[in-house]
Amino acid sequence: MLRATLKSLLSRKIRLVLSALAVVLGVMFVAGSFVLTDTLDRSFSNLFSNIYSGTDVSVTAKAKANAAGTVPASVVDEVRGVDGVAKAQGQVNGSARPIGKNGKVMTTAGAPRLGASWVDGDSQLEMRDGTGPKADNEVAIGAFLASTGGFKVGDDIELITLQPKQKFKVVGIYGFPGGRDSLGGELITSFTEPVAQQLMLGEKGVYTDINVTAAGGVAQDQLRDRVSAKLGSDYEAKTGAQLAKDQADQIAEGLKFFNYILLAFAGIALFVGIFIILNTFSIIVAQRTRELALLRSMGASRGQVMGSVVLEAFVIGLIASVVGLGAGYGVGALLANFFATFGGGSLQLASVQLPLSAVISSFSVGLVVTMVAAVMPALRASRIAPVAAMREAATPDRPLTRPTVAGAVILAAGGAAMAFGFTNQSLALIFGGVMAAFVGVALLTPLVSKPMVSLIGRLLSWSMPGVLGRRNSARNPRRTAITAAALMVGIALITGVSVVLTSATASITKLSDTQIKSDLIIAGEQANDGGSATFTTDVLDRMKSTSGVKSVVGWANDGALINDEQYWVAAVTDVDAMREQFGLQTKSGTIAPLREDQVGVSEERATEKNLSVSSTMKVQLSRGEPKTYTVAFIWAKTPVMQGVVLPSDAIKNLRIPQLGNAFVQVVPGQSVVDVQKRIEPLFADNPEISVQDRSAFTKQQTSQFDTVLLMIQILLALAILIAVLGVINTLALSVIERTRELGLLRAIGMKRAQVMRMITVESIVISVFGAVLGLAVGSALGVATVAALKDQGITEFAFPWLQMGQYLVVAAVVGVIAAILPAIRAARLNVLDAIAYE
Amino acid sequence: MWKSYGSGDAAVTALAGVSVEFEREHFTAIMGPSGSGKSTLMHCLAGLDDVTDGEVWIGDTKVTGLNDKGLTELRRDQVGFVFQQFNLLPTLTAEENITLPLAIGGRKVDRAWFDTVIDTVGLRDRLTHRPTQLSGGQQQRVACARALVSRPEVVFADEPTGNLDSKSGAEVLGFLQKSAREFGQTIVMVTHDPNAASYADRVIFLADGKIVNEILDPTADAVLETMKHLDTAVGVS
């Protein structure tokens, strides 16, 4: 039996290779993600051990709200007095964004843009050129910033910090040990200590942390304990080793994102792969009916027949896992290298290894997926009666009752899981629900395949080959359905996401058009390195006095601890302007300017925390001491804003005591454009801040959805690629199955080109059918999600008709491409062999 | 015509110098024991297979030397086929199967001729049926109608009654005979059934790749006699 299985496996290499490819791709991403994370984790551990090699103990102030506080200079002296301390150096770190020679603020691929205090004789730096900064207007810059920005010693450089842009002179350029230009692609500028304190931290005489070096013979943790004991509970001391580990762990946490993306790739590839393998095995079992029946009539048991199919799956799964693992190692190494050099970064990569986790997960995933897909066909094979060997090969169509009922049940279960997942905010349930819904729809697909296929096919059947292609695709509803369903998955996911994002865009646009009365919006670039653009409150005063301006409200966001819970709060400069511009309605109290100890609260928050006017709350901001505030007003539910509003007095205690946004209302009758032109010069020294009218601002806000959509489209292109393999596979198997028919057609005069057209039409019909299913299922998923997100402010339904049309066209093109090889094969059939084919 | 497969010592000769003409508007049967080369002869005549040496002409068309496109068009426009089995496409109705060669060539159906053919084969009430809904005899009659509907130069029938019971077979053969006599259709049929051959106007006997005999206006008994003679003559049972 084993021999028979292996023989039959070898005789159908090509079709099995095609179906195994899907598993290979899936396993590749699984293995790749493990190899990548393993390599990067070790690389970053090395990096941080290097960085902290000169640090024995580091001291920081305990966190207040969301930001670590600053360390006053007096504490540095205290630490110096601790027994066993050889050296204690206060350090300053913060955000400093350099402006390039083209006048634009320089950006990185995610690495920070840092400003730091210069320390003479820092062993972690290697001077390349010039000296360290001595005067207030001097800076030394990292070699990576020098090379990417084209700065040389003696050049001027402009930098944005907590202050608007200021001009400095580059007096030195430094690198890092090992001849490296940067540690990880960061842009770093070093100022003299007082300047760094003023620009990074906003006040003189304070530090970000203290770098402590131990005297000979004092262990790191011994020193840490002594420093801790001395400073008490307001400060935190950590050993260099601990710090390196913490930082590496933090990066590893961030890198999980890549891991998730790769695993998502893998999951989708494998899910679609199951469809394809299932289909391939079903067709092969159908085609081998007589052969299997012969085995049965010669005395093979049901178990043996089933075992032979499962064994085939096992062998395919095994081979696919091995190939996938190898490819995954390559992908992991490639991505790690790409990551290390991305954006000019110079991360020194640890050697790429194959972690055991990658091996185990690759084999288990590859084998399980393949075997699961083969179970149904194997069961069917085992039910073949021995007498089938004597009958004509054609098996009658089995009734669709059972799959239809099962499909309906699974679809309903999936829907319920999704609904439950949405109400309970469980991503796992939503995801599982979506997958179950796909399976359910796939099972229901054969039922709709006949009418749908003949409808789609009608568009293509203006000639005889077209009619034949259409009829062929309607011939085996199960096969067509499952092939189309594989394509459906990818297109449904894209469509679903598109519907949600389009609806979100429509909702935001409607909201801004109907609810917000601000004419101009001043906003800073949001940077992912913590250096988001801000501006000082005195600019706001100048805006107010600009002619044509009716009202202005400035806005500053930060995290805060309210009754010891972490919240996002906003401090506003003008409550009246806010109420007017955002159309706030009173729920209780009076929406009027806040006193220094008053807050405003949204209805949602008030209900959630059981607050009413004159309730009190304890608020700890990033700076200063905790303070008790009284609720002065509660505004009625609105999609525009919710949360807690603090008085303008609180701004000085935020992590960055500056404004992030401002909203301007123009005097009725005045030209918005004119006012915009008068306000723009106020931000001339702050190129990260833009002044936009409302519709431009809305467009900019929603344009980020396009980026998200593009990323998802790329991700799901893979799913579609795998589905194409499925279409090719189905067509190739059909061509083999219909050899005699093709021979007959050729015998009675069908041209090769017509044969190819026939196959192509069949392929297009299957693909477009899959796309239509995908669009329908995706729209349903999208609508369900939008409905569930209604409370989050997505109130409008909108369909991305243009994109949906494009997906349909893509599917048709996919159909044509998938048909190429099977069509050539069909056209090349030798007529005489084909009509004699048994 | 000569036809051999393989080369050198392994060469097998299927046709060893066959020279034959088929008269227009006649029904000719080719008979011979298995392996006599009768199917090869038909395949070569119809342009499904090429000859090793010699020439084949259908009407004014020289078949030998045509490329695939030429052969395809020849088969489509000038030749009709009836095979032993698997003559019809399962996805098409009887009518669609009959008009398939015309549809492939993009030609219009001559309705009057179509009606005549349909009435002669007696399939008028079966036109919308799929092949699976037809009996074997009906399927073969549909195949015959398809071969005739494009008015080809010649219809080749390869054991058309091989899979049929005698009554259905007789109907099919009667139809072929009628087509030649009443519609002037040239028909060449390969068979090993003396009874089938008796419907033809002329029977050619093939053995070992050569024509060894022929009978005009045959009867089943005469054919059988000749066959027996043939078998003993060549030593095949």
Side-chain angles (χ1 to χ4, degrees):
Chain A
M1 207 63 201
L2 181 66
R3 269 179 72 107
T5 305
L6 293 178
K7 281 258 163 76
S8 85
L9 200 61
L10 281 174
S11 64
R12 287 183 306 276
K13 286 182 286 262
I14 306 283
R15 49 188 116 159
L16 294 174
V17 162
L18 275 171
S19 41
L21 254 179
V23 182
V24 168
L25 284 173
V27 171
M28 178 179 89
F29 284 109
V30 171
S33 92
F34 279 100
V35 170
L36 174 70
T37 2
D38 173 69
T39 309
L40 290 183
D41 279 355
R42 281 182 293 114
S43 308
F44 279 106
S45 293
N46 294 346
L47 172 69
F48 288 110
S49 317
N50 272 333
I51 291 178
Y52 292 107
S53 61
T55 304
D56 288 321
V57 170
S58 173
V59 176
T60 50
K62 278 262 171 71
K64 276 181 181 175
N66 72 331
T70 50
V71 183
S74 59
V75 176
V76 181
D77 293 331
E78 264 184 84
V79 172
R80 282 195 185 116
V82 174
D83 182 33
V85 169
K87 203 175 133 199
Q89 176 68 53
Q91 301 189 131
V92 178
N93 276 305
S95 174
R97 284 96 67 195
I99 295 170
K101 298 222 154 158
N102 59 0
K104 295 223 166 76
V105 181
M106 292 173 70
T107 54
T108 65
R113 295 167 293 181
L114 292 172
S117 53
W118 177 259
V119 178
D120 277 324
D122 188 335
S123 64
Q124 297 296 300
L125 304 180
E126 282 175 358
M127 213 63 207
R128 295 267 178 93
D129 197 6
T131 59
K134 303 234 161 33
D136 284 354
N137 69 338
E138 291 178 347
V139 291
I141 59 174
F144 182 57
L145 167 55
S147 63
T148 46
F151 293 106
K152 291 187 290 292
V153 169
D155 285 357
D156 285 338
I157 184 170
E158 288 181 313
L159 289 145
I160 303 172
T161 54
L162 286 182
Q163 300 292 325
K165 69 178 176 188
Q166 286 182 21
K167 197 181 276 181
F168 296 88
K169 187 170 282 297
V170 178
V171 295
I173 292 171
Y174 57 85
F176 298 88
R180 287 150 70 187
D181 285 354
S182 76
L183 291 170
E186 77 283 0
L187 301 176
I188 187 164
T189 309
S190 296
F191 304 83
T192 60
E193 189 176 279
V195 174
Q197 286 168 337
Q198 186 65 47
L199 296 185
M200 308 300 121
L201 304 176
E203 54 186 317
K204 292 211 166 131
V206 293
Y207 296 97
T208 314
D209 55 59
I210 309 170
N211 190 19
V212 186
T213 315
V218 182
Q220 283 192 350
D221 36 6
Q222 200 181 352
L223 187 64
R224 175 198 59 202
D225 295 343
R226 287 189 208 162
V227 171
S228 287
K230 171 92 177 181
L231 297 180
S233 64
D234 281 352
Y235 295 91
E236 187 165 23
K238 275 185 182 170
T239 62
Q242 180 66 40
L243 213 52
K245 187 180 178 300
D246 287 355
Q247 298 259 12
D249 286 352
Q250 204 183 333
I251 294 272
E253 194 66 28
L255 286 175
K256 277 196 178 151
F257 178 66
F258 285 92
N259 221 4
Y260 289 142
I261 289 185
L262 285 172
L263 289 176
F265 266 109
I268 294 169
L270 291 168
F271 185 68
V272 176
I274 288 181
F275 282 74
I276 290 169
I277 296 168
L278 177 71
N279 206 25
T280 307
F281 273 96
S282 300
I283 300 174
I284 289 174
V285 166
Q287 290 179 354
R288 280 173 67 199
T289 301
R290 293 180 86 171
E291 184 191 325
L292 292 170
L294 189 65
L295 286 172
R296 289 275 281 130
S297 62
M298 289 187 314
S301 71
R302 283 194 168 188
Q304 277 175 312
V305 168
M306 185 166 170
S308 106
V309 176
V310 171
L311 182 66
E312 233 179 277
F314 179 81
V315 173
I316 292 173
L318 198 66
I319 295 171
S321 301
V322 171
V323 176
L325 184 62
Y329 180 78
V331 166
L334 207 70
L335 284 174
N337 271 303
F338 173 72
F339 191 92
T341 50
F342 189 53
S346 51
L347 177 69
Q348 274 192 338
L349 219 52
S351 63
V352 180
Q353 294 172 2
L354 194 60
L356 191 63
S357 57
V359 179
I360 293 172
S361 51
S362 295
F363 279 100
S364 39
V365 161
L367 287 175
V368 166
V369 162
T370 322
M371 312 260 288
V372 162
V375 163
M376 285 295 294
L379 266 175
R380 205 168 300 144
S382 75
R383 293 208 190 104
I384 294 172
V387 69
M390 288 36 132
R391 279 201 216 116
E392 261 306 298
T395 43
D397 259 1
R398 278 160 295 129
L400 295 173
T401 331
R402 272 170 58 183
T404 304
V405 171
V409 169
I410 295 175
L411 180 62
M418 272 172 71
F420 198 68
F422 275 125
T423 42
N424 292 296
Q425 315 250 318
S426 156
L427 208 59
L429 265 179
I430 296 173
F431 197 68
V434 171
M435 291 295 148
F438 280 142
V439 173
V441 171
L443 283 168
L444 289 173
T445 305
L447 198 66
V448 290
S449 108
K450 257 201 170 129
M452 288 281 291
V453 160
S454 82
L455 199 70
I456 297 164
R458 243 165 251 287
L459 302 169
L460 295 162
S461 43
W462 64 84
S463 67
M464 201 58 206
V467 173
L468 288 170
R470 182 189 95 204
R471 298 264 175 91
N472 281 339
S473 49
R475 211 158 154 177
N476 196 324
R478 282 167 192 259
R479 194 182 297 179
T480 302
I482 200 159
T483 311
L487 189 60
M488 166 194 79
V489 173
I491 291 187
L493 288 173
I494 300 182
T495 307
V497 173
S498 291
V499 168
V500 173
L501 293 180
T502 311
S503 298
T505 303
S507 306
I508 291 173
T509 308
K510 189 181 174 212
L511 188 68
S512 90
D513 287 348
T514 56
Q515 304 270 330
I516 297 180
K517 297 184 185 67
S518 315
D519 295 305
L520 293 170
I521 291 147
I522 289 104
E525 272 171 34
Q526 298 295 307
N528 54 3
D529 63 355
S532 293
T534 53
F535 51 93
T536 50
T537 42
D538 54 308
V539 183
L540 205 69
D541 298 331
R542 283 193 276 158
M543 281 163 66
K544 263 184 217 157
S545 52
T546 303
S547 103
V549 170
K550 185 178 170 215
S551 73
V552 178
V553 52
W555 196 277
N557 280 314
D558 198 3
L561 289 175
I562 299 179
N563 295 336
D564 297 323
E565 274 184 275
Q566 185 84 45
Y567 280 107
W568 203 240
V569 297
V572 298
T573 57
D574 187 336
V575 172
D576 283 332
M578 174 184 84
R579 185 198 59 215
E580 165 69 17
Q581 292 191 25
F582 298 161
L584 298 186
Q585 302 292 320
T586 311
K587 176 77 182 169
S588 57
T590 314
I591 304 184
L594 294 164
R595 287 203 316 268
E596 282 183 10
D597 60 349
Q598 286 183 325
V599 292
V601 179
S602 68
E603 184 183 343
E604 295 93 331
R605 177 63 52 78
T607 316
E608 185 192 322
K609 290 288 157 197
N610 202 14
L611 298 170
S612 53
V613 169
S614 78
S615 303
T616 58
M617 53 173 80
K618 191 183 82 178
V619 179
Q620 167 69 65
L621 296 172
S622 291
R623 297 155 191 266
E625 296 305 310
K627 185 169 166 180
T628 302
Y629 286 87
T630 312
V631 175
F633 58 82
I634 296 170
W635 71 86
K637 219 179 250 184
T638 162
V640 180
M641 57 178 284
Q642 54 167 297
V644 176
V645 167
L646 300 173
S648 58
D649 172 65
I651 293 173
K652 67 174 190 293
N653 282 332
L654 301 181
R655 189 177 64 89
I656 300 172
Q658 295 188 355
L659 299 170
N661 294 87
F663 303 84
V664 177
Q665 200 172 17
V666 170
V667 173
Q670 289 266 357
S671 153
V672 173
V673 179
D674 288 349
V675 176
Q676 184 178 357
K677 279 184 186 146
R678 284 196 285 272
I679 288 179
E680 272 167 350
L682 299 179
F683 294 97
D685 61 353
N686 211 339
E688 291 171 295
I689 304 283
S690 62
V691 181
Q692 290 170 304
D693 64 24
R694 192 174 56 223
S695 66
F697 179 75
T698 311
K699 268 213 188 75
Q700 195 202 3
Q701 293 296 300
T702 52
S703 70
Q704 56 190 333
F705 293 149
D706 296 342
T707 319
V708 174
L709 190 63
L710 187 70
M711 275 175 59
I712 290 174
Q713 278 170 338
I714 293 170
L715 224 151
L716 294 178
L718 179 84
I720 293 174
L721 178 79
I722 294 173
V724 173
L725 293 178
V727 178
I728 296 176
N729 213 2
T730 301
L731 288 174
L733 290 166
S734 298
V735 166
I736 293 170
E737 210 171 50
R738 294 182 201 142
T739 300
R740 297 196 63 179
E741 265 178 69
L742 290 164
L744 176 70
L745 282 166
R746 291 278 288 134
I748 62 169
M750 188 179 254
K751 291 182 184 172
R752 288 197 164 139
Q754 289 176 311
V755 171
M756 292 178 74
R757 203 187 317 158
M758 179 176 88
I759 307 279
T760 307
V761 165
E762 183 176 353
S763 178
I764 294 176
V765 168
I766 295 176
S767 307
V768 171
F769 176 43
V772 170
L773 275 178
L775 290 176
V777 174
S779 300
L781 287 176
V783 166
T785 311
V786 169
L789 292 176
K790 203 170 175 202
D791 289 341
Q792 261 76 53
I794 304 188
T795 50
E796 303 293 304
F797 286 110
F799 289 94
W801 296 115
L802 181 69
Q803 274 157 6
M804 288 164 79
Q806 284 167 349
Y807 299 151
L808 214 53
V809 173
V810 166
V813 174
V814 156
V816 173
I817 293 169
I820 293 173
L821 286 174
I824 288 175
R825 184 171 185 160
R828 281 212 188 128
L829 278 179
N830 178 300
V831 182
L832 208 53
D833 291 349
I835 48 178
Y837 179 86
E838 191 63 56
Chain B
M1 277 175 280
W2 282 263
K3 175 71 186 176
S4 49
Y5 299 99
S7 58
D9 290 346
V12 177
T13 305
L15 296 177
V18 173
S19 241
V20 63
E21 269 185 63
F22 297 93
E23 284 163 279
R24 236 178 239 283
E25 307 187 6
H26 276 64
F27 180 7
T28 310
I30 303 173
M31 285 207 69
S34 330
S36 61
K38 57 186 192 302
S39 285
T40 306
L41 175 61
M42 198 205 83
H43 290 151
C44 290
L45 291 174
L48 288 171
D49 206 350
D50 51 355
V51 291
T52 314
D53 198 6
E55 283 181 4
V56 177
W57 289 76
I58 292 179
D60 298 331
T61 313
K62 186 183 171 190
V63 179
T64 316
L66 283 177
N67 61 10
D68 181 74
K69 185 165 173 281
L71 285 172
T72 304
E73 278 167 11
L74 172 90
R75 291 197 300 264
R76 191 182 74 196
D77 301 334
Q78 298 187 43
V79 176
F81 281 106
V82 181
F83 296 109
Q84 181 176 2
Q85 58 177 351
F86 207 79
N87 264 302
L88 308 177
L89 286 189
T91 52
L92 300 182
T93 63
E95 177 168 357
E96 285 167 332
N97 263 298
I98 292 170
T99 56
L100 188 59
L102 298 172
I104 289 173
R107 284 189 287 161
K108 278 187 73 163
V109 178
D110 176 346
R111 275 337 285 196
W113 173 237
F114 177 81
D115 287 340
T116 313
V117 172
I118 293 306
D119 290 334
T120 316
V121 289
L123 284 169
R124 184 153 293 285
D125 55 342
R126 292 277 183 271
L127 287 180
T128 57
H129 289 49
R130 291 279 165 98
T132 46
Q133 298 164 300
L134 298 174
S135 71
Q138 286 168 334
Q139 287 187 24
Q140 255 350 40
R141 280 188 278 152
V142 171
C144 292
R146 182 192 64 211
L148 253 65
V149 81
S150 58
R151 291 176 183 270
E153 282 279 334
V154 55
V155 168
F156 291 105
D158 188 358
E159 306 268 12
T161 56
N163 270 15
L164 300 181
D165 62 75
S166 57
K167 184 170 167 288
S168 306
E171 280 172 3
V172 168
L173 290 163
F175 171 68
L176 288 176
Q177 189 179 51
K178 205 171 163 189
S179 308
R181 292 191 182 156
E182 290 181 17
F183 311 137
Q185 175 65 58
T186 313
I187 296 173
V188 175
M189 174 177 76
V190 167
T191 183
H192 63 268
D193 173 9
N195 193 38
S198 69
Y199 284 80
D201 301 323
R202 172 188 174 209
V203 183
I204 294 171
F205 293 90
L206 217 62
D208 286 345
K210 290 197 178 95
I211 294 179
V212 291
N213 207 339
E214 72 168 85
I215 310 178
L216 292 178
D217 296 321
T219 61
D221 291 340
V223 174
L224 198 60
E225 267 316 300
T226 316
M227 283 292 285
K228 274 183 186 159
H229 192 67
L230 209 60
D231 289 348
T232 44
V234 295
V236 178
S237 63

